[in-house]
Amino acid sequence: IAAASLAQVHGAELADGTRVVVKVQVPGVERDVETDLRAFKVLAPLLAELFPELDLVSIAAELDRGIREELDFSDEAQRAGEFAARFADHPSVRVPGVHLGLTARRVLTLDRVDGERLMPFLEACEARGAEGEADRDRLFATLVGSFCTQVLEHGVFHADPHPGNFLVLPGPNLAIFDFGCVVTYPPELRRGYASLA
């Protein structure tokens, strides 16, 4: 169904007929990532003089933390379950349920959610005139609202919001996927964002 540098996602069906997706880590990717992270940690201080406006040492440390987090699908399953619980009563946002008994460090099994990819949906909206524009605006309101809810209310933010991590459901409603990269905001930071807004 989908592929990225760390994993592939395949459609499957459980013995009881439940449709699921199975995210499987690319074999050997942990070793490759480890090599790349070590190289970047060594290079960051050396490159710092060339790019003084960037804090490459801090970027290297954050990259190291974030990518290691993304490699453990058991942790991702926990975060996905927490997001699903937080949005369980939201009328326009869906987070697929997790099958913990079929999940491990390198395999993640989720309920299958079928929908339209975000970018083709937006392109089709443009072609449909006023009705399409209204659907686009409703979807963007849901998307922006869901992220405001994450930051200001939940204090837990999906930190990889690229178009491949969303599907558009009828309504239009929004399905959110891939909780490998999640950031927690303490109350004082949430208050700061609220004041800024």
Side-chain angles (χ1 to χ4, degrees), residues 30-181:
E30 280 187 284
R31 181 189 61 245
D32 295 342
V33 164
E34 192 62 43
T35 300
D36 291 346
L37 289 174
R38 274 198 308 269
F40 192 53
K41 276 189 194 174
V42 168
L43 289 175
L46 302 174
L47 294 173
E49 290 180 25
L50 295 174
F51 303 100
E53 69 280 1
L54 299 175
D55 183 358
L56 291 176
V57 174
S58 294
I59 291 171
E62 183 61 21
L63 194 61
D64 185 81
R65 183 206 58 78
I67 290 179
R68 287 181 199 287
E69 210 172 76
E70 285 195 55
L71 288 171
D72 188 343
F73 293 171
S74 297
D75 286 347
E76 181 177 346
Q78 179 183 342
R79 291 188 296 271
E82 291 167 358
F83 263 80
R86 286 184 186 100
F87 281 101
D89 296 327
H90 196 291
S92 303
V93 175
R94 172 133 184 242
V95 176
V98 178
H99 294 264
L100 290 174
L102 300 171
T103 294
R105 184 170 170 75
R106 293 185 181 94
V107 177
L108 173 62
T109 306
L110 304 166
D111 288 335
R112 181 158 182 170
V113 176
D114 293 312
E116 190 174 350
R117 296 209 179 269
L118 182 61
M119 296 312 290
F121 174 82
L122 294 175
E123 290 165 6
C125 284
E126 296 298 320
R128 290 179 25 236
E131 184 183 331
E133 290 174 10
D135 282 346
R136 178 204 60 208
D137 291 349
R138 276 194 297 275
L139 183 67
F140 278 139
T142 298
L143 180 64
V144 170
S146 76
F147 277 87
C148 288
T149 298
Q150 292 172 48
V151 173
L152 300 174
E153 292 180 35
H154 301 162
V156 181
F157 175 70
H158 182 294
D160 191 13
H162 67 76
N165 287 338
F166 303 103
L167 284 180
V168 181
L169 308 177
N173 294 317
L174 186 70
I176 305 176
F177 303 94
D178 193 351
F179 297 92
C181 188

